[in-house]
Amino acid sequence: MSYINMLAFGVYPFIALAVFFIGTWIRYDREQYTWKTSSSQMLESKQLRKGSLPFHIGILGIFFGHLVGLLTPKPVWHILGVSNEAKQWLAIIAGGIFGLICLYGLVILINRRMNNVRVRATSSVMDILLLWLLLFQLVLGLISIYYSTSHVVYGAEGEKAGVMLMLMSWAQNIVTLDPVEAVAAISNPIIEWVFKLHVFIGMTIFLVFPFTRLVHMFSAPIQYLTRQHQVVRKRFAR
């Protein structure tokens, strides 16, 4: 079991992150014509509008929530006056809200992708696999809320925030290139299977990222917020 933990949570994350950074860079450098969302709005727009907005709101909230929650050092939370238990409740509530919003949008998008004949015809295998992978990961995250709540409400004193702290330790040790400490943290007996599988699938999403349309997140048109307004004059018929 220790070898499996080292492979899955000490070696695999570095492979996934290496493919993520190097693969994304190579694709941007060599395949810029594929660096796009490949929007199918012209084929069907009603369901796309209905599902796209909640999906993006939810997934962005989840992404930045994980980013801040996992990588912010414990002393910083203490300086801010946020206790471990309060932080876990914040993660449970915010994660649940954004997770359900994302789930609502994602189910609509999957239904559209699978059941609209024209959209399905223009979909690649990776487009379909990515949506189902995101759904699986999202459901795992929502299931993990049940376990997290059980720890806070019914768990022993050491378990109330222990899982959260162990997962934070794993993520921070991966970032600081210390796989031994990372594996030691996530191998703790209080970490249930759902958290480990959630972490593993999360790393898998990083692994496949350069080969999907997710790359468009690095090309968000932020500059549109600050650019000068374009002057558009109405053309009058003579």
Side-chain angles (χ1 to χ4, degrees), residues 36-68:
K36 56 185 179 178
T37 61
S38 300
S39 175
S40 55
Q41 184 176 0
M42 292 182 64
L43 303 178
E44 194 285 327
S45 61
K46 184 177 180 180
Q47 290 297 305
L48 180 63
R49 286 196 302 268
K50 187 177 179 180
S52 182
L53 182 60
F55 169 73
H56 282 88
I57 291 174
I59 203 166
L60 287 174
I62 292 170
F63 175 77
F64 287 109
H66 280 70
L67 188 69
V68 173

Side-chain angles (χ1 to χ4, degrees), residues 24-233:
T24 301
W25 173 63
I26 291 175
R27 181 172 176 184
Y28 182 78
D29 185 59
R30 301 185 59 181
E31 306 289 340
Q32 288 198 11
Y33 285 110
T34 69
W35 193 277
K36 56 185 179 178
T37 61
S38 300
S39 175
S40 55
Q41 184 176 0
M42 292 182 64
L43 303 178
E44 194 285 327
S45 61
K46 184 177 180 180
Q47 290 297 305
L48 180 63
R49 286 196 302 268
K50 187 177 179 180
S52 182
L53 182 60
F55 169 73
H56 282 88
I57 291 174
I59 203 166
L60 287 174
I62 292 170
F63 175 77
F64 287 109
H66 280 70
L67 188 69
V68 173
L70 290 175
L71 298 183
T72 302
K74 184 179 175 181
V76 174
W77 292 107
H78 287 174
I79 292 173
L80 296 174
V82 180
S83 66
N84 293 333
E85 191 171 343
K87 179 180 179 296
Q88 185 146 345
W89 275 118
L90 176 62
I92 290 171
I93 295 171
I97 292 173
F98 283 111
L100 290 174
I101 292 173
C102 186
L103 180 64
Y104 170 77
L106 184 56
V107 168
I108 293 174
L109 295 179
I110 290 176
N111 178 65
R112 173 181 179 271
R113 180 73 56 182
M114 300 302 296
N115 296 321
N116 186 291
V117 176
R118 294 198 298 171
V119 175
R120 179 68 181 268
T122 60
S123 301
S124 67
V125 173
M126 184 57 75
D127 290 337
I128 296 172
L129 288 178
L130 177 64
L131 286 175
W132 287 108
L133 182 64
L134 291 174
L135 179 63
F136 182 52
Q137 177 71 336
L138 183 58
V139 171
L140 281 175
L142 292 172
I143 292 173
S144 72
I145 292 177
Y146 166 77
Y147 288 89
S148 297
T149 305
S150 299
H151 291 153
V152 177
V153 177
Y154 303 110
E157 190 60 34
E159 294 181 351
K160 287 192 175 181
V163 172
M164 177 191 67
L165 294 177
M166 290 298 102
L167 293 174
M168 287 173 58
S169 178
W170 172 82
Q172 291 171 21
N173 280 297
I174 288 295
V175 170
T176 56
L177 307 180
D178 190 348
V180 175
E181 288 298 321
V183 172
I186 205 168
S187 299
N188 193 298
I190 66 174
I191 307 291
E192 284 99 344
W193 65 271
V194 66
F195 295 104
K196 291 183 178 182
L197 186 57
H198 191 56
V199 167
F200 184 83
I201 298 300
M203 288 296 99
T204 302
I205 292 174
F206 278 102
L207 181 73
V208 302
F209 180 94
F211 314 104
T212 69
R213 63 177 68 194
L214 287 177
V215 295
H216 77 275
M217 67 177 288
F218 288 130
S219 298
I222 307 280
Q223 66 272 21
Y224 285 2
L225 299 176
T226 57
R227 74 174 186 178
Q228 292 184 345
H229 293 289
Q230 292 180 324
V231 178
V232 180
R233 294 183 174 87

